[in-house]
Amino acid sequence: MNLMNKAIKGKKKALCKGLLSKTMIDQFIIDLYGLSIPELPSIWQTKTQSANQWKQLFNPSKQDYLKYGYLPNFVIVRIPSKFGKGWYVDRLTIQASAPKVIFGTNYYGIKERDYEVFIRRMIACCQLVGLPVTQAQLEQATLREIAFCFNFIFGDSFPYPQEYLKRMGFLDIGKRYDEVKNTDFIESTHGYQGKYYNGQVGWGIYDQRARIISQAKTQEEMEVAEKMKNGSLPDKIARMEVTYQNQNAVKQHLTTWLGGNKKQTRHLKEVFNKQLSQDILIDIFNKFANEVNVAALEFPIMPQETALRLSSESGMTQAEAYLWLAHSLCVQQTGSLQLKEMLDKYFRRQYRGRLERSLAKIIKLRPLPKSTLGQIFD
């Protein structure tokens, strides 16, 4: 076993199904200021160097992952010293995945009690690349970006995620964030991924199986990929992420959940918080999983006559059935977010509110059979 394995891995936790369902954070970016960094080993590369700035970076290669296990990405930014010759370290930026730091893979989740293990292994990663970073320095680092995540595990009776994720592009996560952009894409190496984002907050849902199998770099990731292929680990997993994409988003949104003010620096320890993670994820998920729109997306897949028959059997009046069928066809054709925008363009918003309440009442009083998508959201 090499030095990195001894320093970082230590005693492994039991890799069981329970670890999958933990609420967690994943990718993060932090900035450390006021560091004194000695001469670096040759593994570091100069990215840019000018009269005003000198950037050095360490991005682990495929060989590094196989030799040492998971390693973060590091960037050192130096500026000219104001006191004589030489360079002064302005900041050290670290980008990493918290679950990968602990497990070597983000197949498993982490929670509050994993914090001390995480810090110890982060220190070991820094030392390996020649950075004498302490726990105090990591805890005082500025949190610049953070992703909150959850893995949804589905049983054998459900299809693989790509079979239903394709349809989720017709849903939306509400009107909370302005100027939301939508991108939906299918890649042979990633499975299906849907992303909803703006300049501050990103939301995504992914086929976790396809991502791990196609992107496995560490020994742990390769072992997980093989176990998913042979059926010894659950592999029908949809992964949800909510990402605060810059420091302004981190300050603004964490203040909403944690209190304080929107100017204060936030730190990694604050987001190792089970209640915070759950609150943020549930808030976004509930906006996305609007029951009326999910049911509407399922409904028009069937022939119209079948849809009318089911509406009648549920107890709907003709007017209710016609309203429900019309709404469902519009959602299926244009998507719920686009439908809201069009309605608000030509009619008063309160009219849409009344319409949505009417549709919700119909579904509540006249429940319809649910297909796979509705069962998945439940």
Side-chain angles (χ1 to χ4, degrees):
M1 184 180 288
N2 57 48
L3 291 176
M4 185 61 173
N5 288 337
K6 291 179 180 178
I8 293 181
K9 292 185 178 179
K11 184 178 180 181
K12 282 284 184 182
K13 292 188 176 184
L15 301 185
C16 60
K17 187 174 179 179
L19 288 172
L20 268 172
S21 56
K22 290 182 180 178
T23 305
M24 59 181 169
I25 63 170
D26 194 344
Q27 288 286 340
F28 65 87
I29 298 177
I30 53 175
D31 288 329
L32 289 78
Y33 296 91
L35 298 181
S36 177
I37 298 176
E39 184 176 348
L40 294 167
S42 59
I43 55 175
W44 285 78
Q45 300 174 347
T46 294
K47 185 177 181 182
T48 58
Q49 185 169 2
S50 64
N52 300 318
Q53 190 181 81
W54 176 17
K55 278 189 179 181
Q56 296 169 287
L57 60 84
F58 173 77
N59 291 331
S61 64
K62 185 177 181 179
Q63 290 72 30
D64 292 326
Y65 285 126
L66 292 175
K67 184 177 181 181
Y68 303 115
Y70 176 77
L71 289 170
N73 294 337
F74 299 92
V75 177
I76 297 172
V77 178
R78 302 177 191 261
I79 58 177
S81 174
K82 297 179 181 178
F83 306 99
K85 297 180 180 180
W87 294 88
Y88 171 80
V89 176
D90 178 60
R91 66 185 181 276
L92 165 66
T93 298
I94 304 175
Q95 180 177 9
S97 161
K100 289 183 180 181
V101 168
I102 296 177
F103 296 115
T105 171
N106 65 2
Y107 179 81
Y108 302 102
I110 58 174
K111 59 196 302 184
E112 288 177 68
R113 67 186 180 197
D114 297 318
Y115 178 74
E116 293 299 328
V117 175
F118 163 77
I119 287 293
R120 289 199 300 271
R121 296 185 180 180
M122 278 293 296
I123 291 171
C125 288
C126 293
Q127 291 174 343
L128 182 79
V129 297
L131 298 173
V133 173
T134 66
Q135 178 169 343
Q137 289 169 329
L138 284 173
E139 292 185 335
Q140 293 165 11
T142 298
L143 182 63
R144 213 174 80 194
E145 182 178 309
I146 184 65
F148 298 91
C149 313
F150 193 81
N151 289 332
F152 296 92
I153 313 159
F154 301 108
D156 294 338
S157 61
F158 288 94
Y160 280 95
Q162 52 268 57
E163 295 184 36
Y164 52 83
L165 292 184
K166 296 174 185 178
R167 295 166 58 198
M168 290 187 183
F170 288 91
L171 299 174
D172 66 85
I173 58 172
K175 307 282 284 185
R176 176 168 183 164
Y177 305 117
D178 294 331
E179 298 179 0
V180 175
K181 298 179 181 178
N182 299 338
T183 61
D184 305 311
F185 51 93
I186 302 172
E187 295 183 6
S188 59
T189 57
H190 292 73
Y192 182 86
Q193 304 183 49
K195 289 188 176 182
Y196 302 77
Y197 64 94
N198 63 18
Q200 284 205 327
V201 180
W203 182 93
I205 189 161
Y206 314 100
D207 177 358
Q208 183 73 334
R209 178 184 189 275
R211 295 184 87 194
I212 288 180
I213 290 175
S214 66
Q215 300 177 24
K217 296 177 182 177
T218 67
Q219 190 63 42
E220 292 88 349
E221 287 173 322
M222 292 177 187
E223 290 174 3
V224 166
E226 188 58 37
K227 288 179 180 179
M228 282 195 291
K229 290 177 184 178
N230 65 32
S232 58
L233 279 178
D235 66 341
K236 292 181 179 179
I237 304 170
R239 177 184 178 83
M240 185 174 82
E241 287 186 6
V242 177
T243 305
Y244 297 161
Q245 297 176 291
N246 53 48
Q247 195 173 343
N248 285 336
V250 168
K251 289 181 177 180
Q252 177 182 339
H253 292 281
L254 290 187
T255 297
T256 300
W257 296 103
L258 297 174
N261 65 74
K262 295 180 181 179
K263 294 184 179 180
Q264 72 185 83
T265 299
R266 295 295 181 175
H267 308 286
L268 271 175
K269 192 169 187 178
E270 294 178 277
V271 294
F272 268 78
N273 181 318
K274 177 182 177 181
Q275 194 62 54
L276 172 70
S277 300
Q278 288 185 350
D279 289 346
I280 290 171
L281 292 166
I282 290 171
D283 180 59
I284 296 295
F285 181 77
N286 285 342
K287 289 177 171 58
F288 180 73
N290 180 291
E291 184 179 6
V292 170
N293 292 327
V294 173
L297 187 60
E298 294 185 300
F299 199 64
I301 293 173
M302 60 192 73
Q304 289 185 26
E305 183 171 355
T306 305
L308 289 170
R309 176 178 59 79
L310 289 173
S311 300
S312 174
E313 291 173 354
S314 76
M316 290 186 193
T317 65
Q318 185 184 68
E320 288 173 335
Y322 198 79
L323 174 62
W324 180 250
L325 182 59
H327 172 69
S328 299
L329 289 169
C330 287
V331 170
Q332 182 75 9
Q333 182 179 17
T334 64
S336 59
L337 179 61
Q338 290 77 9
L339 180 59
K340 290 177 182 179
E341 291 173 344
M342 286 190 291
L343 287 170
D344 290 348
K345 183 177 180 181
Y346 297 108
F347 302 96
R348 294 181 181 178
R349 181 169 292 186
Q350 58 263 39
Y351 292 171
R352 175 166 62 81
R354 293 175 194 169
L355 174 63
E356 290 175 349
R357 287 191 292 273
S358 296
L359 291 164
K361 184 177 180 180
I362 291 172
I363 290 299
K364 183 178 180 180
L365 297 177
R366 325 283 193 222
L368 293 161
K370 292 186 178 181
S371 65
T372 302
L373 186 62
Q375 293 169 12
I376 283 169
F377 275 107
D378 286 345

